[in-house]
Amino acid sequence: MGGDRDALTLLLTDHHPRLRDYLQRKIPLALAGTVDAEDIAQESYIQVFRHIQEFEPRGEDAFYRWLATIAVRRLRNAVKKQRAVKRGAGKLGANPARPGVEDSMVGLLDLVVAPGQTPSHFAARHEALAAMQAALAELPEECRQAVWLVYIEGCSIAAAAAEMHRTESAVQNLCYKSKQRLRELLGSRSRFLSSSG
């Protein structure tokens, strides 16, 4: 809560297995193939980074209970969306062939790494993921939404534009600006990126 993002990342990492298993048990059987507990957990962590100041440490296990409340809200939204898609009420469904959200985040990291830099200082996959989560949390809301839809969810620019009620060129511009900003944020953290030479 004091602004130490690394401490928050470690706290989330500690709670991750418990939260993922909890979410997995709450996913309706009919949607098990389209709603993923891992994806919901990662989306929830971005919300936690954005709203950590709202957390009130009341009693034992307060942080996990707060985190689980956020995650359950995200899960309910995802379930509603997928049920609407199944009924034919929506056109922006999950692509069953798309990689998991972690793979997408690491892929996004590769996209924004500046020439001459590599993510070589990541000791493990979860560090790469934590770095991208922290950087995404610092983007303005519409930029984060555009990046999430296009690079994490795997939507086309047209589908993302429809979801955001923006023009395709506006979404392309948001994605471009977001990649530049992510590059700056990640590049400013020497523990994340290093010169390849």
Side-chain angles (χ1 to χ4, degrees):
M1 292 179 71
D4 187 337
R5 288 181 172 275
D6 289 343
L8 181 54
T9 298
L10 286 172
L11 187 59
L12 291 171
T13 300
D14 287 343
H15 285 298
H16 180 70
R18 181 183 176 188
L19 181 69
R20 181 194 57 217
D21 293 346
Y22 172 68
L23 290 170
Q24 190 65 51
R25 292 193 299 271
K26 293 185 77 66
I27 295 173
L29 216 53
L31 297 178
T34 54
V35 177
D36 185 71
E38 190 75 36
D39 289 10
I40 300 298
Q42 299 302 337
E43 291 176 26
S44 302
Y45 300 156
I46 291 175
Q47 293 297 106
V48 168
F49 271 103
R50 291 184 59 219
H51 299 288
I52 186 60
Q53 295 302 324
E54 298 172 15
F55 169 62
E56 297 179 5
R58 295 179 178 176
E60 187 178 348
D61 217 20
F63 181 79
Y64 175 77
R65 284 186 278 109
W66 181 67
L67 170 62
T69 299
I70 291 173
V72 167
R73 285 194 198 117
R74 303 292 301 185
L75 176 59
R76 284 175 182 159
N77 289 340
V79 167
K80 283 180 186 176
K81 181 177 177 179
Q82 288 304 322
R83 282 177 173 161
V85 170
K86 281 180 177 290
R87 289 194 304 266
K91 295 180 181 178
L92 183 63
N95 177 357
R98 74 179 177 85
V101 71
E102 287 192 6
D103 290 333
S104 298
M105 281 198 178
V106 174
L108 178 57
L109 178 65
D110 290 336
L111 280 177
V112 301
V113 168
Q117 291 184 310
T118 62
S120 60
H121 278 190
F122 289 111
R125 178 188 178 86
H126 72 270
E127 288 191 34
L129 185 59
M132 182 54 70
Q133 285 174 334
L136 281 170
E138 294 185 36
L139 293 178
E141 178 64 32
E142 63 177 3
C143 289
R144 183 168 48 252
Q145 186 181 8
V147 167
W148 190 271
L149 287 170
V150 175
Y151 296 107
I152 308 301
E153 291 291 334
C155 296
S156 67
I157 293 291
E163 178 80 357
M164 295 178 68
H165 305 291
R166 302 289 296 269
T167 65
E168 291 183 29
S169 60
V171 171
Q172 285 178 324
N173 190 43
L174 285 171
C175 288
Y176 176 78
K177 289 194 301 185
S178 298
K179 285 191 290 184
Q180 293 294 106
R181 181 58 180 150
L182 288 171
R183 183 174 294 130
E184 291 170 8
L185 290 168
L186 292 165
S188 68
R189 297 166 183 173
S190 58
R191 63 185 291 269
F192 294 148
L193 297 176
S194 66
S195 295
S196 58

